[in-house]
Amino acid sequence: MDIGLSVGGFVDVMLLPEQSDGWPTEGTVSEFEIWWADSRRQIRLKPSDSRYLRNDFTDFVGRFRPNWPSEVGRPVRDPGPPTIDEMRAALRSDGPPANSP
């Protein structure tokens, strides 16, 4: 995605609806917010249009970025790559297992 900067930008697939037919198609003109930017010199984007967000976006944010609203406009800490368990939990439609922190 061309974001007009010297770093790459892409829509974070973890924020999109589970079914790809709900994703914006190539060439769609829409507004996006910066969801994440860190030392990897890439910018992850979040669709501003709720049609293009996962159905459980509010719950997802509560699990993975509970402080997100207060982080807007501030640097994002670089947590490094996600663990396998974090990826599995993110892919589960019902959230992380009950024994997760």
Side-chain angles (χ1 to χ4, degrees), residues 42-62:
Q42 60 188 9
I43 295 176
R44 294 173 183 254
L45 301 168
K46 175 190 132 338
S48 296
D49 188 331
S50 62
R51 291 179 298 166
Y52 301 132
L53 288 175
R54 58 188 295 147
N55 293 334
D56 68 342
F57 179 74
T58 302
D59 294 333
F60 178 84
V61 169

Side-chain angles (χ1 to χ4, degrees), residues 4-51:
L5 298 173
S6 63
V7 296
F10 61 94
V11 179
D12 193 327
V13 71
M14 297 303 297
L15 305 177
L16 295 173
E18 189 173 312
Q19 301 299 319
S20 62
D21 59 348
W23 296 5
T25 57
E26 186 173 340
T28 298
V29 176
S30 188
E31 291 188 11
F32 295 86
E33 299 174 50
I34 294 175
W35 173 253
W36 199 271
D38 58 34
S39 64
R40 291 173 277 198
R41 299 195 42 82
Q42 60 188 9
I43 295 176
R44 294 173 183 254
L45 301 168
K46 175 190 132 338
S48 296
D49 188 331
S50 62
R51 291 179 298 166

Side-chain angles (χ1 to χ4, degrees), residues 14 64 82-92:
M14 297 303 297
F64 293 99
T83 67
I84 229 30
D85 289 336
E86 289 171 331
M87 289 300 295
R88 284 187 185 128
L91 294 172
R92 290 173 48 117

